Amino acid sequence: MYIVKNAIINITRNKGRNILIGIIIMVIAAACSITLAIRASADKIVTSYEKKYPVNATIGMDREALTNSLREGDKTQEEMINTFNSIKAVTKDEIIKYGDSKYVSSYYYTSNINMNAKDIKEATDSLVKETTTTKVETTTKNESWTKRNPGNRPGRPFEGGSSTTQKKTTTQKKTTTSKVENIRNEKAGRGTFSLVGYNSYESMVDFVNGNYTIKEGEVSNDFKSNSCVISEELATLNKLNVGDKITFKSPNDEKITYELTITGIYKENTDESSNMSNMYSNSANRVITNVTVIDNIVKLDTKLEPTITPTFILKSTDVVDKFTKEVKEKGLSEYYTVTSNVDTVLGATKSIVSVKKFATTFLLITLVIGATVLFVINMINIRERKYEIGVLRTIGMKKISVISEFMLELLIVCIIFLLAGAGVGALSSVQISNSLLEQEIENAETDYNEINKNFGGSMEKRGPQREPSQFGITNIEKVDSMDAVVDYQVLGKLLGIGVLLTVVSSISSMIAISRFSPLDILKERS
Amino acid sequence: MEPILRLENVSYRYKDAAKDEYVFQDLSYEFNEGKIYVIKGKSGSGKTTLLSLISGLEKRYKGKIYYNDKDLSKVNLDKYRNSDIGIIFQSYNLLVHLSASENIILSMDINKLKIKNKKAKAIELLKQVGLDESHAKRRVLKLSGGEQQRVAIARSLSYNPKIIIADEPTGNLDKDTEKEILEIFKKLAHEENKCVIIVTHSENVCKMADKVYELKKNNKKV
């Protein structure tokens, strides 16, 4: 206890020396604090980006593998289509199995079926192929007749006589059969309308990306309701409005019907709409609904096979390969492949990651310089205090007690000025962090407003009903207080750094104290 | 009466000195409680070195030193220094950033003395050596040489040691102050039964000693 008391007395009685040490520690702490804040801000930006554009993986047809497989054995086109049709679609159960992975943070999927509709016309040309088959039948007839039997020669006047005449007649009969058939991909389904079911706003990538924008009404936030949004073209063609109902029919059994209420009308903004060779856009007959509707329809008609497109949100950029390997091991067909946006994500955050790396390097350099300066100051300090050490040792203080007292003094000075430095650093960091985050905050706000607009609805509804997180946008807030930058974690790190610096720079005192002989010190003094 | 401190054929030479070049050789002295001893000699005769050996600050010597019949080379020297022996240096060796009383309290703390009011005890000790309460609060640098020497004596008494060793205690003092300090030593030896060993070359100090040991130059024992 007396060591603590004596350490405090020594600090207060040797202000000049301790203030000098303190200023150095304060500068180091401020630099560390700013660096840590830059690192934290960089992390926030990267996290925000990864949240907004998460590393996601999806399962899709491996066209290359498929083409290679179809080329084998010189298959005819029909055989190729049959082979293609024999590839089983990824099922919901499989997706659940793949989603149950330590590499996946969440997953969603869209479910797609094709249906016909009652009372409304489709906004697309039907692809009808007319096959004309011409059948030619050739009949050869041998005829012989005599004059005596003139009547046997049809179409000829009676010639009389009994001479025998022979004639070979060839008749050709041409039959033309016209067959109209739909050459189609069975996987695309037989219905005219594509019903796509989603289970969250986030999964509605076309709306999030701005490919689709609600022109009238809104996308219902009840992902279990019998609601849908339809394309502007379909609405115009059939004079449909928000609130109208559409009855869809199963392509397998016309008696199986399902009624959906239109809650919104969307417009497609992609370039596909401007394709002059088509009258309608590709999405004209796309009816957007929720997965519950698709599940209900499939329950009614078990022959319908929904096409399920999963999206797995992966935990980090490092796990893409591991996840792909795991999915293959869990039994994904060779005709399917896992694709991800990892390159895009890494590319986009590359510059900010570089800033973070620079900050880390700067932190290390600061620490090394700081530790060296403190070490040297301590060496000088110990030389100055040699006499004190000699006196303390002479009056019976143990070496370990002297070392403890000197270390404690430095630790107290270190912690006090470290906190002061952290405060100064935090004040500066608020500005630095804000300037770093400003652009990101602005982007997030713009993105939220634009995406929210894409989903439609009144201004009043936009606020409470839809949070930015529903669109995968992280709420980045401007730093307005010190504790937002220098949080407990940063403070803990700084204290750790302080203790480390104290220990490293005290090594000089420890060595000196253990080597000094009190007699030599006092002799020197004399 | 058994001597409290006994030197048996003690020889010492510096680390870098020639093999036969001793500062002193085969010293055999005895010291008893209640007496004042003076070790005198000219400069370079090894007075302070002998004091270092007795106080356990120097361990590299030939021969034996016994404290209460215990071989000094086998006892805990930190404990010996902070409880059995009080050392008073010529240059006082006080901690200059502390006050007179704080120097004494620190010594008590190091010795882990269980005294309830250490400050009061420190003031009492200072009074014993002729310093009043106002001196107790002053930083030692603000005290005169004589006052600092008194503080050093008071510090050495703080843990009530049986032996008090003083190295040239009056070397930096005027005659009047020297007299006052010597009176304190006398009192300590004759009234409080301490064994007081004073290293000096002052004849005045020798006069008041109960026994004088003289060290001569050129490594010869007396």
Side-chain angles (χ1 to χ4, degrees):
Chain A
M1 191 60 199
Y2 80 91
I3 289 174
V4 179
K5 188 179 81 181
N6 211 37
I8 294 167
I9 291 174
N10 284 346
I11 292 167
T12 53
R13 303 275 166 86
N14 297 290
K15 289 189 187 82
R17 181 181 67 207
N18 290 310
I19 287 172
L20 177 68
I21 295 174
I23 288 170
I24 293 166
I25 292 170
M26 206 164 98
V27 171
I28 296 168
C32 290
S33 167
I34 293 169
T35 317
L36 288 171
I38 291 171
R39 275 168 54 92
S41 300
D43 272 340
K44 269 187 187 177
I45 295 170
V46 172
T47 311
S48 146
Y49 186 88
E50 286 181 354
K51 186 92 177 165
K52 194 162 103 187
Y53 304 106
V55 185
N56 57 44
T58 189
I59 293 172
M61 191 67 79
D62 187 348
R63 304 275 168 211
E64 200 182 327
L66 185 70
T67 313
N68 290 340
S69 168
L70 293 177
R71 276 181 191 154
E72 280 171 18
D74 244 357
K75 286 190 173 87
T76 62
Q77 195 175 358
E78 194 180 338
E79 284 169 334
M80 283 181 184
I81 292 170
N82 286 337
T83 308
F84 181 70
N85 286 339
S86 71
I87 299 168
K88 284 186 179 173
V90 178
T91 65
K92 197 171 150 186
D93 288 342
E94 280 174 304
I95 286 166
I96 292 166
K97 188 168 75 178
Y98 302 148
D100 181 22
S101 162
K102 62 179 174 182
Y103 307 121
V104 174
S105 57
S106 68
Y107 65 93
Y108 55 78
Y109 58 89
T110 59
S111 194
N112 185 3
I113 53 168
N114 285 59
M115 298 282 281
N116 293 323
K118 213 172 164 182
D119 307 327
I120 63 164
K121 286 179 262 177
E122 68 267 27
T124 185
D125 305 321
S126 57
L127 283 168
V128 177
K129 185 176 176 183
E130 190 175 332
T131 314
T132 308
T133 315
T134 308
K135 195 176 171 185
V136 181
E137 283 178 44
T138 309
T139 316
T140 308
K141 197 175 178 182
N142 288 316
E143 285 177 306
S144 65
W145 64 93
T146 59
K147 282 181 181 173
R148 286 174 289 185
N149 189 17
N152 285 346
R153 194 182 177 194
R156 297 285 294 261
F158 178 73
E159 290 176 3
S162 60
S163 58
T164 303
T165 310
Q166 277 196 339
K167 193 175 182 181
K168 194 178 179 180
T169 315
T170 301
T171 317
Q172 272 195 338
K173 188 182 174 188
K174 196 175 180 180
T175 317
T176 303
T177 319
S178 213
K179 187 184 172 190
V180 178
E181 60 176 337
N182 283 317
I183 304 298
R184 57 187 177 77
N185 162 12
E186 280 182 13
K187 289 189 186 301
R190 272 175 296 217
T192 327
F193 297 94
S194 169
L195 268 69
V196 188
Y198 296 91
N199 59 357
S200 67
Y201 285 127
E202 196 184 352
S203 63
M204 302 173 87
V205 182
D206 280 322
F207 282 96
V208 173
N209 292 344
N211 293 342
Y212 295 170
T213 317
I214 286 288
K215 208 185 154 199
E216 202 181 313
E218 64 178 324
V219 174
S220 171
N221 65 344
D222 180 0
F223 288 92
K224 285 180 178 172
S225 65
N226 288 330
S227 63
C228 68
V229 289
I230 59 166
S231 72
E232 186 185 18
E233 293 154 295
L234 194 67
T236 310
L237 187 70
N238 293 288
K239 291 177 184 161
L240 292 169
N241 291 309
V242 172
D244 290 348
K245 290 183 190 317
I246 309 174
T247 305
F248 291 97
K249 297 184 293 184
S250 166
N252 304 317
D253 183 352
E254 292 210 339
K255 286 174 190 165
I256 298 170
T257 59
Y258 204 88
E259 192 178 71
L260 295 177
T261 307
I262 301 166
T263 59
I265 294 167
Y266 71 87
K267 186 184 169 206
E268 187 179 346
N269 302 315
T270 56
D271 293 341
E272 290 172 55
S273 321
S274 59
N275 189 340
M276 293 303 285
S277 59
N278 294 328
M279 189 190 291
Y280 299 107
S281 67
N282 290 348
S283 59
N285 289 322
R286 190 172 293 163
V287 176
I288 288 161
T289 180
N290 55 65
V291 287
T292 312
V293 167
I294 306 294
D295 287 347
N296 290 342
I297 295 172
V298 171
K299 273 179 203 163
L300 294 173
D301 182 358
T302 50
K303 284 180 190 167
L304 283 170
E305 272 188 30
T307 306
I308 295 171
T309 311
T311 302
F312 301 96
I313 311 296
L314 302 183
K315 282 183 180 163
S316 74
T317 49
D318 311 326
V319 301
V320 177
D321 290 340
K322 289 172 190 166
F323 176 69
T324 308
K325 196 180 165 200
E326 187 185 280
V327 167
K328 289 275 181 192
E329 281 169 1
K330 281 180 177 174
L332 182 72
S333 158
E334 58 178 315
Y335 296 114
Y336 287 98
T337 184
V338 179
T339 52
S340 79
N341 64 343
V342 67
D343 292 337
T344 316
V345 172
L346 286 177
T349 54
K350 204 175 167 183
S351 58
I352 204 75
V353 168
S354 302
V355 170
K356 195 184 160 186
K357 275 184 188 165
F358 172 76
T360 310
T361 314
F362 183 74
L363 180 72
L364 290 173
I365 292 169
T366 312
L367 287 179
V368 170
I369 293 172
T372 311
V373 171
L374 275 179
F375 186 85
V376 171
I377 286 182
N378 251 312
M379 288 284 281
I380 298 165
N381 187 20
I382 289 299
R383 291 193 77 79
E384 260 182 24
R385 298 179 72 182
K386 220 172 164 182
Y387 165 70
E388 194 183 331
I389 297 166
V391 172
L392 290 170
R393 294 281 296 121
T394 308
I395 60 174
M397 195 165 177
K398 289 177 184 168
K399 278 180 189 174
I400 187 75
S401 303
V402 180
I403 291 171
S404 307
E405 189 186 304
F406 277 51
M407 275 189 77
L408 190 65
E409 275 179 42
L410 193 61
L411 195 67
I412 294 169
V413 173
C414 203
I415 289 172
I416 292 169
F417 284 92
L418 205 74
L419 293 173
V424 172
L427 281 171
S428 325
S429 307
V430 170
Q431 289 306 316
I432 294 169
S433 297
N434 277 343
S435 61
L436 277 170
L437 294 174
E438 205 165 13
Q439 190 57 45
E440 199 58 24
I441 294 165
E442 205 181 303
N443 289 348
E445 280 171 4
T446 314
D447 286 349
Y448 170 70
N449 290 335
E450 281 181 7
I451 296 170
N452 198 29
K453 210 166 124 189
N454 293 345
F455 283 95
S458 64
M459 285 302 286
E460 291 74 30
K461 280 183 176 180
R462 278 175 207 163
Q465 281 196 349
R466 294 178 197 141
E467 290 297 322
S469 60
Q470 286 180 285
F471 307 134
I473 297 171
T474 310
N475 257 331
I476 309 168
E477 281 169 12
K478 209 166 181 177
V479 179
D480 53 5
S481 62
M482 282 198 322
D483 59 347
V485 181
V486 183
D487 58 11
Y488 289 115
Q489 209 186 358
V490 173
L491 209 60
K493 280 181 189 170
L494 275 178
L495 284 176
I497 289 167
V499 173
L500 188 77
L501 282 182
T502 310
V503 172
V504 170
S505 59
S506 294
I507 290 170
S508 56
S509 351
M510 290 181 209
I511 295 168
I513 292 167
S514 62
R515 285 177 63 184
F516 286 163
S517 146
L519 186 66
D520 292 340
I521 297 168
L522 298 178
K523 266 185 191 167
E524 262 178 47
R525 171 85 173 181
S526 299
Chain B
M1 194 169 64
E2 280 293 309
I4 188 161
L5 193 72
R6 190 156 47 90
L7 272 69
E8 244 181 49
N9 302 318
V10 174
S11 305
Y12 182 85
R13 67 180 175 85
Y14 291 120
K15 223 178 190 175
D16 48 0
K19 268 190 176 180
D20 56 346
E21 199 184 332
Y22 284 88
V23 178
F24 47 75
Q25 259 185 307
D26 299 327
L27 297 182
S28 293
Y29 297 157
E30 285 186 354
F31 302 95
N32 289 307
E33 284 175 279
K35 290 196 171 169
I36 299 175
Y37 295 87
V38 165
I39 298 169
K40 75 169 196 174
K42 290 180 179 170
S43 296
S45 60
K47 298 187 300 292
T48 305
T49 306
L50 181 60
L51 185 142
S52 309
L53 263 57
I54 293 171
S55 58
L57 289 167
E58 179 62 271
K59 293 181 271 184
R60 208 174 37 81
Y61 57 86
K62 273 187 180 177
K64 297 278 180 192
I65 300 172
Y66 294 98
Y67 167 73
N68 267 344
D69 273 339
K70 279 180 214 157
D71 186 351
L72 205 60
S73 63
K74 288 171 186 167
V75 303
N76 180 334
L77 290 175
D78 281 333
K79 192 174 177 295
Y80 172 68
R81 278 203 302 273
N82 69 30
S83 60
D84 300 317
I85 192 163
I87 311 166
I88 301 153
F89 297 91
Q90 184 180 7
S91 51
Y92 328 124
N93 286 352
L94 296 167
L95 294 171
V96 291
H97 62 278
L98 301 180
S99 68
S101 61
E102 282 169 345
N103 265 286
I104 297 164
I105 292 167
L106 175 65
S107 177
M108 288 188 231
D109 285 335
I110 291 170
N111 289 292
K112 290 173 184 153
L113 294 179
K114 286 174 183 170
I115 299 170
K116 275 189 180 174
N117 193 342
K118 285 179 183 165
K119 200 174 176 182
K121 173 75 180 171
I123 291 166
E124 188 194 316
L125 285 166
L126 287 169
K127 276 182 184 166
Q128 208 178 320
V129 293
L131 294 174
D132 58 29
E133 214 170 327
S134 66
H135 290 96
K137 290 174 189 170
R138 275 190 229 164
R139 297 265 186 100
V140 288
L141 276 183
K142 289 181 179 172
L143 298 173
S144 68
E147 286 167 337
Q148 286 190 43
Q149 191 62 287
R150 286 166 207 261
V151 176
I153 296 168
R155 183 180 65 182
S156 73
L157 296 173
S158 64
Y159 44 90
N160 198 24
K162 287 179 178 168
I163 303 168
I164 289 170
I165 299 176
D167 183 13
E168 300 278 11
T170 57
N172 299 329
L173 307 176
D174 58 69
K175 281 196 173 174
D176 291 342
T177 316
E178 180 185 15
K179 209 177 165 187
E180 284 170 23
I181 297 290
L182 290 176
E183 279 305 313
I184 295 167
F185 285 127
K186 247 187 193 176
K187 203 177 154 193
L188 287 170
H190 300 150
E191 291 177 24
E192 296 184 28
N193 202 34
K194 309 279 180 203
C195 169
V196 178
I197 303 167
I198 303 171
V199 170
T200 187
H201 56 257
S202 159
E203 286 302 322
N204 282 341
V205 181
C206 291
K207 280 178 196 167
M208 50 87 77
D210 293 313
K211 188 162 185 164
V212 177
Y213 291 112
E214 189 177 358
L215 285 175
K216 285 190 175 174
K217 264 192 174 180
N218 303 324
N219 316 329
K220 287 174 187 170
K221 73 172 178 177
V222 178

